[in-house]
Amino acid sequence: MPKQNSPTLSPVGFLQMFVTQSLRTAGQMGCRECETSVGYVESLGLTAGPCLEQICRQQLGLDGPIDFDGYTDIILGIKNQIGGNFSRASGDPGMVRVVNSRCPFGTTVQNAPELCRMTASVFGGIAARNFGYAKVDLRRRIAVGDSHCEVCIHVDPTRSADIEGDEYRYEEGVLVSRPRSGKARVQATAHAAQTWCATTSAEQPRTDARGQQIVAESAAMQRAIDVAELVAPTLATVLISGETGVGKEVIARLVHTLSDRNAHELVAVNCGAIPQELIESALFGHEKGAFTGAYDVHHGYFERAEGGTLFLDEIDSLPISAQAKLLRVLQGNEFERVGGRHTMRANVRIVAASNQELADRVAAGQFRQDLYYRLNVVPIVIPPLRDRRDDLTALTQSFLRRLAARYGGTRKILGERAWTQMMVHPWPGNVRELENVLERSFLFSRGRVIESLALDGQPARRRSQGAAQVVSLRDVTKQAAMHTEGQLIRLALEENGGNVSAVARQIGISPRAVHQKLKKHGIDPQRFRVGRD
């Protein structure tokens, strides 16, 4: 069973872990242990069921009591996210019937048919918690040679009295299972479920070394973060590439935060901002009298970053002489101050960044090839904002929240025209430009809706991967309307503490319509609940 201090997982990650745990503990048991295995699988399914249900409720925007349709959406969501290929079939009153053509446990299920009890316990447990009673009949099973699976869940004890199946009752906070064999009786309490739920909370936002949330919705940024997380605990040198303002320092700070050097400082240096004649002194320090004006010993960035991480931004601007000294540090972890006669050791992890393609600089003879190979151990490429527009909405929301906190707490959202401007603007300054534009627009807007962005210009075309693309005004307008609707619903949820009924009254639609919109926009009302954990 997972420990309560297990790392926080995403919903899909937890579902995958659930299957892996089931296969490991039940699927590997031999026939002599089948009865014990069935009991364990039953317990595993009953205790994990509440957390599986919670995950799918959040994903589907389901809050409070559910009907048969809501229940069916939940159990299909659980199974299909782990590869079950389930669908709903026709059913009688008081009964839900689902079928599938592929088992979520794969071919392993034929060697361990007791794993089917996982499906029964999850389906039955969720039904019993919501309807008080359930009986699950596994009519057909791929595990025993049938062409497909057919599962019937009955919730009316009078109608299912003559039907064989595993019974589940929920009484006073305790879920009791009575298998059709009558050989085992399994109970599950809410406390037992917490051993799973401790690992299932929605994934916490990643933060950099200063505790600021890292916003990444696009696949490209997710890949960059995944690589950063993977390489952070190692000693490998990282080279981050991307245009100015895309967020290279954010990734560098993430690498530092997740490394074992995070107790020490991350020292960030913009190599392009240091005069070339001073760059060696700035990096490696100098001795007293090393040159005119050197009145004392100067400790360079390498000494200041001792034990920590040195982030060298715009490393492409380093002069050749400084490149040679940097190569020596990377090769042997040692350097000398300017004017010094003693070799010093450097216990520093290097993360470098460039807004130009270093391979081109090498080809032009402006950057040492051997240094390039030393730096480019783990490359991380961050595309420009115009090529990862999936991040625009999340970044905008994050910046507007910060601006509200900075300027008096009044939340503002973008109107349709402002959102259209957002989508057609090429953002040559990337995330940095976006933040500045939103701050100007926030300050210039008198109401809660920012009707227009304070842009210097509004190009009608944008460039993507070197090719001109005309933005479809119809598509952008549709996206703008969707964005504005989602923002208004979020504001209403905030104002009403996540109460869907109150939101429905405020905006003048039915609670069912609100739930549909929550599902459409992927909004979880639980996040807005007052006093939530």
Side-chain angles (χ1 to χ4, degrees), residues 62-76:
L62 296 176
D63 185 25
I66 56 173
D67 55 15
F68 265 19
D69 289 338
Y71 167 73
T72 306
D73 288 343
I74 289 173
I75 62 174
L76 295 184

Side-chain angles (χ1 to χ4, degrees), residues 295-502:
Y295 300 112
D296 206 346
V297 173
H298 171 70
H299 300 283
Y301 288 116
F302 271 93
E303 291 181 69
R304 289 164 53 185
E306 178 68 17
T309 303
L310 183 60
F311 174 51
L312 299 176
D313 197 7
E314 295 190 22
I315 198 166
D316 50 276
S317 65
L318 279 181
I320 294 295
S321 58
Q323 291 178 29
K325 286 195 172 184
L326 178 58
L327 179 63
R328 182 186 176 191
V329 178
L330 291 172
Q331 290 177 328
N333 296 321
E334 54 185 34
F335 65 96
E336 294 177 1
R337 293 179 182 144
V338 176
R341 292 176 293 179
H342 302 288
T343 299
M344 306 186 68
R345 301 289 298 175
N347 176 22
V348 175
R349 199 247 184 97
I350 300 294
V351 177
S354 173
N355 57 20
Q356 298 187 33
E357 182 56 62
L358 282 186
D360 294 341
R361 303 275 291 177
V362 171
Q366 299 169 328
F367 201 87
R368 292 181 62 117
Q369 186 177 53
D370 47 6
L371 176 58
Y372 170 65
Y373 290 136
R374 283 286 181 177
L375 292 171
N376 198 36
V377 177
V378 178
I380 298 178
V381 179
I382 305 179
L385 188 56
R386 61 183 173 273
D387 290 340
R388 50 184 177 95
R389 291 184 176 259
D390 290 350
D391 289 331
L392 271 175
T393 300
L395 284 166
T396 298
Q397 292 171 355
S398 177
F399 289 144
L400 289 177
R401 281 195 297 269
R402 293 186 201 175
L403 291 168
R406 186 185 305 168
Y407 296 114
T410 300
R411 285 291 304 276
K412 297 185 180 183
I413 65 171
L414 298 186
E416 291 187 22
R417 182 171 184 272
W419 183 244
T420 301
Q421 291 177 293
M422 174 80 66
M423 294 305 295
V424 301
H425 188 66
W427 300 110
N430 293 292
V431 180
R432 190 174 297 129
E433 180 190 6
L434 173 64
E435 185 173 14
N436 292 339
V437 166
L438 286 174
E439 184 166 10
R440 287 198 304 271
S441 305
F442 187 97
L443 294 173
F444 293 164
S445 175
R446 297 183 182 276
R448 297 186 66 181
V449 178
I450 299 174
E451 300 293 352
S452 178
L453 293 182
L455 292 166
D456 293 333
Q458 184 183 336
R461 295 174 179 263
R462 65 182 175 91
R463 289 199 165 267
S464 177
Q465 300 177 352
Q469 295 184 351
V470 179
V471 178
S472 167
L473 184 59
R474 178 182 299 174
D475 291 343
V476 172
T477 303
K478 183 177 179 180
Q479 291 178 31
M482 281 280 291
H483 172 79
T484 303
E485 180 183 72
Q487 288 290 78
L488 288 171
I489 290 174
R490 288 185 177 89
L491 278 179
L493 285 167
E494 286 184 2
E495 293 172 353
N496 292 281
N499 187 312
V500 173
S501 298

Side-chain angles (χ1 to χ4, degrees), residues 6-17:
S6 300
T8 301
L9 299 175
S10 65
V12 174
F14 170 69
L15 290 167
Q16 293 171 343
M17 180 187 71

